[in-house]
Amino acid sequence: MFMINLEEIIEARDRLREKSPLVHAITHPIAINMVANVILFMGAKAICAAHPEEVAEIVGMSDCLSVSLGNITSERMVAIDEACHAANGKNIPLTIDMVGVGASTLRYKFANKLLSKYKFDLIKGNASEIRALASGASNAKGIDVGKADELKGANIEKISMKACELAKKYHTIVLVTGKTDLVVGENSYFTIDNGVENLSKITGTGCMLTAMISSFMAVTDPVSAAICGLLVMEIAAEKIDTDRLYTFFVNLMDEISLISNEEISKKAKVREIKF
């Protein structure tokens, strides 16, 4: 176990507000409003352009790019390919959310095509999605993690090793989301044990997290961005948790912008483990 400087990581929130970077998020219509608003609530600027004929131009003026395979369409696949090419050409941070690669052959093949062509600074997915990318098989239940892949007990070490394989193969950081979240590099990984069950009951919270992390990547490194994004969302959720799900969602959006750095630092449950 190793210590990290949480205060320094969380200060990325202040730098984000000061810089107010333009965050280009190619997401899907189920989550697009939530994604754009959470970027704005954190103090950045949002654009969600997804037309193949304009995405490269938009990337050219952006400070970071995140792409999601959620609710995929043929047009968005073309747009994602064009945007990733432009992002690598400009050398801006690039994040991909591997939604559904454990459930759909189309998404699995497309994801691997993108990974073979472009450099991603962070790959995000649940345990089933990461297992599918690493081994070609998973226990995915639609876009959700399968019970046999859940991040608990011995599975944490097993999935962390699969994520490490991807991190080494693509020289990237891999974020595995779950009850325990894993931020995995080539030599070590972080566990984050914050959050509440209600986050999994609201559609789009995973896409919000992707946008938050991508925003932080405009002002800090991928590992710090991932940890900061997770802590902001999950500790905000702990603070306002309620059995009224829509109230929970509305209050979560507020609390993401209102919660203090001090509260986050005090409640964070983070540790680093060396391979």
Side-chain angles (χ1 to χ4, degrees):
M1 190 184 303
F2 299 84
M3 298 299 294
I4 58 172
N5 191 331
L6 276 178
E7 287 76 14
E8 186 175 314
I9 287 174
I10 297 165
E11 282 173 3
R13 298 180 75 205
D14 303 322
R15 294 196 296 275
L16 185 72
R17 294 188 186 105
E18 290 167 7
K19 185 178 179 181
S20 192
L22 180 61
V23 180
H24 187 182
I26 300 180
T27 187
H28 52 89
I30 300 168
I32 194 167
N33 180 272
M34 299 163 69
V35 164
N37 274 319
V38 81
I39 292 169
L40 294 171
F41 292 174
M42 293 196 306
K45 302 295 183 185
I47 189 163
C48 299
H51 195 292
E53 294 182 18
E54 72 169 0
V55 288
E57 183 179 4
I58 300 299
V59 170
M61 63 181 70
S62 300
D63 296 295
C64 57
L65 170 68
S66 68
V67 298
S68 170
L69 305 190
N71 190 234
I72 200 70
T73 65
S74 297
E75 183 177 67
R76 207 175 313 118
M77 288 170 73
V78 175
I80 288 171
D81 196 297
E82 292 286 338
C84 290
H85 178 77
N88 275 185
K90 191 185 177 186
N91 196 30
I92 61 172
L94 177 56
T95 303
I96 186 166
D97 194 347
M98 296 294 192
V99 180
V101 297
S104 160
T105 301
L106 173 72
R107 297 190 209 192
Y108 175 78
K109 289 183 176 178
F110 182 54
N112 279 283
K113 174 186 172 183
L114 293 173
L115 291 173
S116 70
K117 292 174 67 176
Y118 305 117
K119 171 69 173 73
F120 292 90
D121 299 280
L122 186 136
I123 298 170
K124 172 179 174 285
N126 63 37
S128 290
E129 291 157 352
I130 297 304
R131 186 166 176 258
L133 286 174
S135 61
S138 77
N139 298 289
K141 190 173 183 180
I143 63 168
D144 295 318
V145 66
K147 191 170 183 62
D149 294 332
E150 289 178 353
L151 283 173
K152 58 184 181 181
N155 257 4
I156 291 178
E157 184 175 356
K158 290 177 183 178
I159 298 297
S160 69
M161 294 303 296
K162 291 293 183 184
C164 182
E165 291 174 19
L166 291 175
K168 288 179 177 179
K169 182 176 182 179
Y170 297 110
H171 303 292
T172 189
I173 299 301
V174 178
L175 168 58
V176 193
T177 56
K179 186 175 182 180
T180 294
D181 303 292
L182 310 178
V183 180
V184 184
E186 297 185 31
N187 301 306
S188 69
Y189 67 96
F190 293 89
T191 63
I192 294 87
D193 283 300
N194 291 100
V196 297
E197 187 179 355
N198 277 338
L199 283 169
S200 66
K201 296 179 180 179
I202 304 289
T203 189
T205 54
C207 299
M208 286 169 56
L209 176 62
T210 303
M212 293 167 70
I213 292 169
S214 180
S215 300
F216 287 129
M217 284 171 62
V219 297
T220 191
D221 64 276
V223 171
S224 297
I227 293 172
C228 191
L230 286 162
L231 292 178
V232 173
M233 170 168 276
E234 294 182 350
I235 295 174
E238 289 174 359
K239 187 177 176 183
I240 53 85
D241 198 23
T242 172
D243 58 0
R244 296 178 180 270
L245 287 178
Y246 202 78
T247 299
F248 171 78
F249 166 61
V250 173
N251 290 345
L252 176 64
M253 296 294 278
D254 280 339
E255 196 61 34
I256 282 170
S257 63
L258 295 173
I259 193 169
S260 70
N261 290 359
E262 291 73 24
E263 284 181 283
I264 296 169
S265 182
K266 183 178 179 180
K267 296 180 180 179
K269 300 175 183 176
V270 183
R271 63 175 183 151
E272 183 181 7
I273 300 168
K274 293 285 187 180
F275 285 115

PDB file of all heavy atoms in Angstrom, residues 61-73:
ATOM      1  N   MET A  61     -10.490  22.785 -32.156  1.00  0.00           N
ATOM      2  CA  MET A  61     -10.595  23.908 -31.219  1.00  0.00           C
ATOM      3  C   MET A  61     -10.807  23.448 -29.776  1.00  0.00           C
ATOM      4  O   MET A  61     -10.969  24.260 -28.880  1.00  0.00           O
ATOM      5  CB  MET A  61     -11.753  24.834 -31.633  1.00  0.00           C
ATOM      6  CG  MET A  61     -13.127  24.199 -31.589  1.00  0.00           C
ATOM      7  SD  MET A  61     -14.462  25.325 -32.126  1.00  0.00           S
ATOM      8  CE  MET A  61     -14.114  25.452 -33.884  1.00  0.00           C
ATOM      9  N   SER A  62     -10.778  22.140 -29.543  1.00  0.00           N
ATOM     10  CA  SER A  62     -11.075  21.593 -28.223  1.00  0.00           C
ATOM     11  C   SER A  62      -9.797  21.278 -27.445  1.00  0.00           C
ATOM     12  O   SER A  62      -8.722  21.138 -28.020  1.00  0.00           O
ATOM     13  CB  SER A  62     -11.916  20.318 -28.358  1.00  0.00           C
ATOM     14  OG  SER A  62     -13.139  20.595 -29.012  1.00  0.00           O
ATOM     15  N   ASP A  63      -9.958  21.148 -26.122  1.00  0.00           N
ATOM     16  CA  ASP A  63      -8.829  20.852 -25.244  1.00  0.00           C
ATOM     17  C   ASP A  63      -8.740  19.380 -24.872  1.00  0.00           C
ATOM     18  O   ASP A  63      -7.721  18.942 -24.321  1.00  0.00           O
ATOM     19  CB  ASP A  63      -8.931  21.692 -23.970  1.00  0.00           C
ATOM     20  CG  ASP A  63      -8.827  23.185 -24.259  1.00  0.00           C
ATOM     21  OD1 ASP A  63      -7.740  23.609 -24.709  1.00  0.00           O
ATOM     22  OD2 ASP A  63      -9.820  23.905 -24.056  1.00  0.00           O
ATOM     23  N   CYS A  64      -9.795  18.621 -25.122  1.00  0.00           N
ATOM     24  CA  CYS A  64      -9.806  17.182 -24.862  1.00  0.00           C
ATOM     25  C   CYS A  64     -10.993  16.588 -25.610  1.00  0.00           C
ATOM     26  O   CYS A  64     -11.896  17.309 -26.036  1.00  0.00           O
ATOM     27  CB  CYS A  64      -9.902  16.874 -23.368  1.00  0.00           C
ATOM     28  SG  CYS A  64     -11.341  17.616 -22.561  1.00  0.00           S
ATOM     29  N   LEU A  65     -10.980  15.257 -25.752  1.00  0.00           N
ATOM     30  CA  LEU A  65     -12.058  14.552 -26.447  1.00  0.00           C
ATOM     31  C   LEU A  65     -12.384  13.273 -25.696  1.00  0.00           C
ATOM     32  O   LEU A  65     -11.489  12.530 -25.289  1.00  0.00           O
ATOM     33  CB  LEU A  65     -11.631  14.197 -27.876  1.00  0.00           C
ATOM     34  CG  LEU A  65     -12.558  13.250 -28.660  1.00  0.00           C
ATOM     35  CD1 LEU A  65     -13.891  13.927 -28.970  1.00  0.00           C
ATOM     36  CD2 LEU A  65     -11.883  12.772 -29.952  1.00  0.00           C
ATOM     37  N   SER A  66     -13.683  13.027 -25.509  1.00  0.00           N
ATOM     38  CA  SER A  66     -14.119  11.715 -25.027  1.00  0.00           C
ATOM     39  C   SER A  66     -15.141  11.165 -26.007  1.00  0.00           C
ATOM     40  O   SER A  66     -15.957  11.913 -26.559  1.00  0.00           O
ATOM     41  CB  SER A  66     -14.721  11.809 -23.620  1.00  0.00           C
ATOM     42  OG  SER A  66     -15.947  12.503 -23.628  1.00  0.00           O
ATOM     43  N   VAL A  67     -15.069   9.853 -26.232  1.00  0.00           N
ATOM     44  CA  VAL A  67     -16.012   9.197 -27.128  1.00  0.00           C
ATOM     45  C   VAL A  67     -16.642   8.016 -26.398  1.00  0.00           C
ATOM     46  O   VAL A  67     -16.001   7.362 -25.581  1.00  0.00           O
ATOM     47  CB  VAL A  67     -15.339   8.734 -28.438  1.00  0.00           C
ATOM     48  CG1 VAL A  67     -14.793   9.926 -29.196  1.00  0.00           C
ATOM     49  CG2 VAL A  67     -14.231   7.721 -28.185  1.00  0.00           C
ATOM     50  N   SER A  68     -17.904   7.754 -26.704  1.00  0.00           N
ATOM     51  CA  SER A  68     -18.644   6.671 -26.070  1.00  0.00           C
ATOM     52  C   SER A  68     -19.239   5.761 -27.134  1.00  0.00           C
ATOM     53  O   SER A  68     -19.750   6.236 -28.159  1.00  0.00           O
ATOM     54  CB  SER A  68     -19.771   7.242 -25.203  1.00  0.00           C
ATOM     55  OG  SER A  68     -20.639   6.207 -24.766  1.00  0.00           O
ATOM     56  N   LEU A  69     -19.214   4.456 -26.871  1.00  0.00           N
ATOM     57  CA  LEU A  69     -19.815   3.481 -27.780  1.00  0.00           C
ATOM     58  C   LEU A  69     -21.266   3.181 -27.414  1.00  0.00           C
ATOM     59  O   LEU A  69     -21.876   2.293 -27.996  1.00  0.00           O
ATOM     60  CB  LEU A  69     -19.005   2.185 -27.783  1.00  0.00           C
ATOM     61  CG  LEU A  69     -17.518   2.305 -28.111  1.00  0.00           C
ATOM     62  CD1 LEU A  69     -16.917   0.918 -28.326  1.00  0.00           C
ATOM     63  CD2 LEU A  69     -17.271   3.187 -29.324  1.00  0.00           C
ATOM     64  N   GLY A  70     -21.821   3.936 -26.470  1.00  0.00           N
ATOM     65  CA  GLY A  70     -23.206   3.723 -26.063  1.00  0.00           C
ATOM     66  C   GLY A  70     -24.191   4.048 -27.170  1.00  0.00           C
ATOM     67  O   GLY A  70     -23.988   5.006 -27.932  1.00  0.00           O
ATOM     68  N   ASN A  71     -25.266   3.234 -27.281  1.00  0.00           N
ATOM     69  CA  ASN A  71     -26.343   3.480 -28.247  1.00  0.00           C
ATOM     70  C   ASN A  71     -25.780   3.803 -29.632  1.00  0.00           C
ATOM     71  O   ASN A  71     -26.184   4.755 -30.288  1.00  0.00           O
ATOM     72  CB  ASN A  71     -27.224   4.618 -27.727  1.00  0.00           C
ATOM     73  CG  ASN A  71     -28.506   4.800 -28.515  1.00  0.00           C
ATOM     74  OD1 ASN A  71     -28.801   5.903 -28.985  1.00  0.00           O
ATOM     75  ND2 ASN A  71     -29.284   3.760 -28.662  1.00  0.00           N
ATOM     76  N   ILE A  72     -24.834   2.979 -30.083  1.00  0.00           N
ATOM     77  CA  ILE A  72     -24.028   3.303 -31.263  1.00  0.00           C
ATOM     78  C   ILE A  72     -24.875   3.320 -32.541  1.00  0.00           C
ATOM     79  O   ILE A  72     -25.860   2.580 -32.667  1.00  0.00           O
ATOM     80  CB  ILE A  72     -22.844   2.312 -31.396  1.00  0.00           C
ATOM     81  CG1 ILE A  72     -21.742   2.887 -32.269  1.00  0.00           C
ATOM     82  CG2 ILE A  72     -23.315   0.949 -31.876  1.00  0.00           C
ATOM     83  CD1 ILE A  72     -21.006   4.022 -31.640  1.00  0.00           C
ATOM     84  N   THR A  73     -24.480   4.181 -33.475  1.00  0.00           N
ATOM     85  CA  THR A  73     -25.095   4.250 -34.802  1.00  0.00           C
ATOM     86  C   THR A  73     -23.990   4.268 -35.845  1.00  0.00           C
ATOM     87  O   THR A  73     -22.835   4.575 -35.534  1.00  0.00           O
ATOM     88  CB  THR A  73     -25.949   5.516 -34.985  1.00  0.00           C
ATOM     89  OG1 THR A  73     -25.083   6.665 -34.926  1.00  0.00           O
ATOM     90  CG2 THR A  73     -27.031   5.619 -33.919  1.00  0.00           C
TER      91      THR A  73
END
